[in-house]
Amino acid sequence: MEKRFMDSQIKGVSTGTTILAVTFNGGVIIGSDSRASIGGYYVSSKTINKLIQVHDRIFCCIAGSLADAQAVTKAAKFQISFHSIQMESPPLVKAAASVLKELCYNNKEELQAGFITAGWDRKKGPQVYTVALGGMLLSQPFTIGGSGSTYIYGYADAKYKPDMSKEECLQFATNALALAMGRDNVSGGVAHLVVITEEGVEHIVIPGDKLPKFHDE
Amino acid sequence: MALSNVVETPASGFNFENVSRNVALEGLLEGGHTKAPKPMKTGTTIAGVVCKDGVVLGADTRATSGEVVADKMCAKIHYISPNMYCCGAGTAADTEKTTDLLSSNLTIFSMNSGRNPRVVMAVNILQDMLFRYRGQIGASLILGGVDCTGNHLYTVGPYGSIDNVPYLAMGSGDLAALGILEDRFKPNMELEEAKQLVRDAIHSGIMSDLGSGNNIDICVITKQGVDYIRPYQESEYKDKRQRRYKYRPGTTSILTEKIVPLELEVVQETVQRMDTA
């Protein structure tokens, strides 16, 4: 197999990444960069999709090994869809996050993938859940993840306010992604943002050169 | 669940039986002081481009076994279905067998369902298979095809990751080919321009990579059909044989000859007519 694949710490293509999800008043915004890398020095894709729709109002973003994450989300999509058909109603965000958690926890030796699940349901409104590498499930008002998140913990903690408006939240998420992509070498490309509300799902793409700049000259 | 799959997919969740089997096998081999055989690779340059009327795939034709060129005219663009072809890089046997398996499954599927297979279905089958084998199948594939939903180009990595892109290069010569593609790719190119671009990308891989060489194959897939041009361009460094390597009959003298006739008798003869109306 190619040297590039053998050398990387994460088997195969990895999404060394920046992902985040933030709740606001009436919905949730989930966002990511779009870079996939191998071995920390080769960008294998500049336009990878890390925001996977697992149901009508539930998205999840992926981090870690791309192969593992794509396989897990495929299995999760099927299970959530089946669950929703059986219950004859849209699934709860918590149910979707639980499905991912079960898959990650039961296969923790072989898998190297983490997720952020975010969405809207009728029972509890907008929610954000983190599923970490070993299968821990945590509910938070906002969360950041991936290798690029280490650079924006300070920004996120300082700038997050509960009950923001949609525009404020969009600005917060965009700034956070831009700052992380600016400092982390394995995050980059374009910024993908998805706004999920009761009414529907809106996908916003911000090309790299249109992102806010912070002392970049 | 799929209309049919010759290879049975495991029940639900993940099946890692083969991982423990591989570890046990390796232990057995090392313990017995014999080394596991090293697979033959196709150090390769393969590339694909989506253009206005379809998809253009290209590949070099060199297969290496260590430092020796094992095959100067190896075919790296494999047939999947009348509207899909797949270029393979990595271990030669793995790419060959994986694409064969995929092709069989899709043929059965289209017979059962009465529908032409879509590129996205082929990609999903490949992803499931390669992921299940945890990267032990060393196949990096570029799958390109035209179906009712449009022109598609996908890459499938050895661990089972997929990506849908308008232009691609894989193999040991991919960085060289990618340079050409990044520079000159434009969306919605004309067919001739796309063929020239892919040819140039493979050529760059051949020049800059030791594992790639010899001729260039091009495969053009459009709604109208497939044009598999093999070779699209022959190597500039074709060697001329210095002498004839054929031996005249009688070069080796025959010392003794013994003829044993086989006694066969016809036991039963039946004629079955076929309706060839």
Side-chain angles (χ1 to χ4, degrees), chain A residues 129-206:
Chain A
Y129 291 88
T130 313
V131 179
L133 227 54
M136 170 190 80
L137 174 61
L138 211 52
S139 168
Q140 293 167 305
F142 79 98
T143 189
I144 54 182
S147 56
S149 67
T150 51
Y151 304 100
I152 50 171
Y153 272 107
Y155 176 80
D157 287 342
K159 288 294 183 177
Y160 173 74
K161 302 189 306 286
D163 271 336
M164 284 188 278
S165 73
K166 177 173 142 187
E167 286 67 33
E168 284 178 318
C169 191
L170 262 176
Q171 193 58 53
F172 170 72
T174 313
N175 285 346
L177 280 175
L179 285 165
M181 280 154 69
R183 285 291 183 180
D184 184 24
N185 70 324
V186 284
S187 300
V190 305
H192 285 290
L193 293 158
V194 172
V195 184
I196 309 169
T197 55
E198 178 177 4
E199 285 76 46
V201 160
E202 187 194 340
H203 197 142
I204 304 169
V205 176
I206 308 176

Side-chain angles (χ1 to χ4, degrees), chain B residues 91-146:
Chain B
T91 308
D94 289 345
T95 58
E96 190 71 48
K97 279 304 171 192
T98 308
T99 47
D100 251 357
L101 212 54
L102 175 66
S103 176
S104 312
N105 277 341
L106 284 180
T107 313
I108 293 177
F109 164 79
S110 62
M111 282 188 212
N112 276 342
S113 66
R115 288 171 96 164
N116 282 330
R118 296 191 185 179
V119 184
V120 73
M121 178 178 187
V123 170
N124 275 317
I125 295 177
L126 277 176
Q127 176 174 49
D128 286 343
M129 193 191 318
L130 289 176
F131 181 76
R132 213 177 325 136
Y133 284 95
R134 318 286 305 149
Q136 301 291 330
I137 296 186
S140 308
L141 306 165
I142 294 184
L143 183 72
V146 174

